[in-house]
Amino acid sequence: MKTPVIPTPVDGLCWLTGASSGIGEALLADLVKEGWRVVISARSEDKLDALARRHPGKVFAYPVDISDDRAVATTVAQIEFDHGPIVRAILNAGVYISIEAEHPRFEDYAKTFDVNLKGAAACVCALTPRFCERGKGQLVIVSSATAFGGMPTATAYGATKAGLLNMAEGLAIELYRYGVKVQCVTPGFVDTPAQDDNAFPKPFMVSAETAAKRICKGMNRTGFEITFPKRFTWILKLIYALPRDWHIALVRKQTGWDKPPEEKKPA
Ligand SMILES: NC(=O)c1ccc[n+]([C@@H]2O[C@H](COP(=O)([O-])OP(=O)(O)OC[C@H]3O[C@@H](n4cnc5c(N)ncnc54)[C@H](OP(=O)(O)O)[C@@H]3O)[C@@H](O)[C@H]2O)c1
């Protein structure tokens, strides 16, 4: 049986999804500084091309919509044909859509599930057979602290992020014996364009650059979970460790959803 080893830039390529903005864009800068050759994906071809032009010979743009599983499979095959094996994959692409239960739209749920959950599944299907065959690889799945328990207006987003944490745990159990390292990132609030649609207060929010540094540090260590800022995510973990009726009541009160609808407006 093989024990997973954290790959280094000499072992091969890093594939980063959701690289065109926010956490992904900040991560790219740090990965390049660490010496990685990075293949970047998102839908915005021009943004990816501009990023690749900044790092000639080190960063390569492969636009793809991750909710299209066939396109993802073809893209991964093409990347490896063009540049050699992917040894670290960071599944970071995701969308946040706020949904209020008074007037939910099915298409908002469907889009969130398609990108965040089905998109990650498409990437996993394209990658893990390759990692298993080579007995090497690192798969990093970006979830969120909303994975720990339910939050108002995040009923689609939170469901996908809880699903991703569960998916990553299962993969970590299965892939260990192939020498493949699986990790999951569970950040609190990060100041990126994804937060523009979030009317909630955002305690302990960190910059995308700080988030990228925490993720890079975590990826070079062996721990399964990369969580930050810990003063926020550990409080959430404690709250969600309470009996469910207690934590539901506590979160309802803390977020103001204990008030009558006419008084309650998201802060
Ligand atoms: N910001 C936070 O507070 C926070 C907290 C916890 C976890 N996260 C997670 O961190 C990750 C990055 O989020 P962010 O805050 O950096 O958001 P962001 O700035 O909006 O970036 C999202 C990235 O995902 C890409 N993307 C969206 N839909 C896609 C699709 N269908 N196919 C391929 N790429 C797609 C976007 O590029 P295109 O639009 O060009 O496709 C963009 O590069 C997400 O998974 C998010 O859930 C964020």
Side-chain angles (χ1 to χ4, degrees):
M1 188 168 94
K2 294 192 96 171
T3 307
V5 173
I6 306 290
T8 67
V10 293
D11 295 316
L13 282 179
C14 175
W15 183 38
L16 171 64
T17 72
S20 63
S21 110
I23 297 171
E25 188 177 350
L27 258 177
L28 173 64
D30 286 355
L31 289 163
V32 170
K33 269 187 219 147
E34 283 187 8
W36 285 92
R37 283 184 310 133
V38 190
V39 174
I40 52 175
S41 293
R43 290 163 306 170
S44 316
E45 205 167 335
D46 26 343
K47 286 192 197 165
L48 294 179
D49 285 341
L51 288 167
R53 273 198 301 274
R54 264 190 239 163
H55 307 282
K58 290 193 174 154
V59 175
F60 312 96
Y62 282 73
V64 67
D65 181 338
I66 57 156
S67 62
D68 179 346
D69 62 314
R70 287 191 184 189
V72 169
T74 310
T75 302
V76 167
Q78 192 64 50
I79 291 168
E80 293 210 333
F81 180 79
D82 294 344
H83 301 285
I86 295 168
V87 293
R88 173 185 276 182
I90 309 168
L91 309 188
N92 165 71
V95 290
Y96 173 82
I97 303 174
S98 176
I99 300 176
E100 290 184 18
E102 293 89 341
H103 38 76
R105 297 181 339 143
F106 177 74
E107 55 267 39
D108 289 340
Y109 276 97
K111 182 174 180 192
T112 311
F113 296 161
D114 276 353
V115 178
N116 295 7
L117 209 44
K118 280 174 63 187
C123 298
V124 167
C125 290
L127 289 163
T128 57
R130 294 168 189 270
F131 287 176
C132 289
E133 199 185 325
R134 294 176 200 137
K136 180 155 63 168
Q138 182 180 19
L139 181 66
V140 183
I141 296 182
V142 179
S143 170
S144 158
T146 52
F148 305 155
M151 278 285 170
T153 74
T155 54
Y157 181 76
T160 62
K161 294 298 176 177
L164 288 176
L165 178 56
N166 191 299
M167 186 191 286
E169 277 190 12
L171 290 167
I173 294 165
E174 278 191 58
L175 294 177
Y176 184 90
R177 62 182 180 173
Y178 288 96
V180 177
K181 179 78 199 159
V182 180
Q183 292 171 303
C184 189
V185 187
T186 55
F189 296 106
V190 184
D191 192 4
T192 71
Q195 285 297 349
D196 295 348
D197 188 34
N198 186 355
F200 257 96
K202 294 151 196 156
F204 305 109
M205 183 149 78
V206 299
S207 68
E209 290 69 29
T210 300
K213 297 229 163 355
R214 301 300 294 268
I215 296 170
C216 275
K217 198 169 163 191
M219 288 190 299
N220 292 326
R221 292 182 170 177
T222 54
F224 168 76
E225 190 180 1
I226 303 170
T227 192
F228 56 86
K230 289 207 172 104
R231 59 196 182 282
F232 178 64
T233 58
W234 280 94
I235 290 170
L236 275 187
K237 279 176 192 255
L238 280 175
I239 291 172
Y240 285 115
L242 294 170
R244 274 189 208 279
D245 284 327
W246 295 11
H247 81 231
I248 288 171
L250 187 59
V251 174
R252 188 185 292 133
K253 189 168 170 46
Q254 289 298 319
T255 54
W257 254 264
D258 58 337
K259 298 189 178 66
E262 56 279 11
E263 280 179 41
K264 174 64 205 149
K265 279 273 160 269

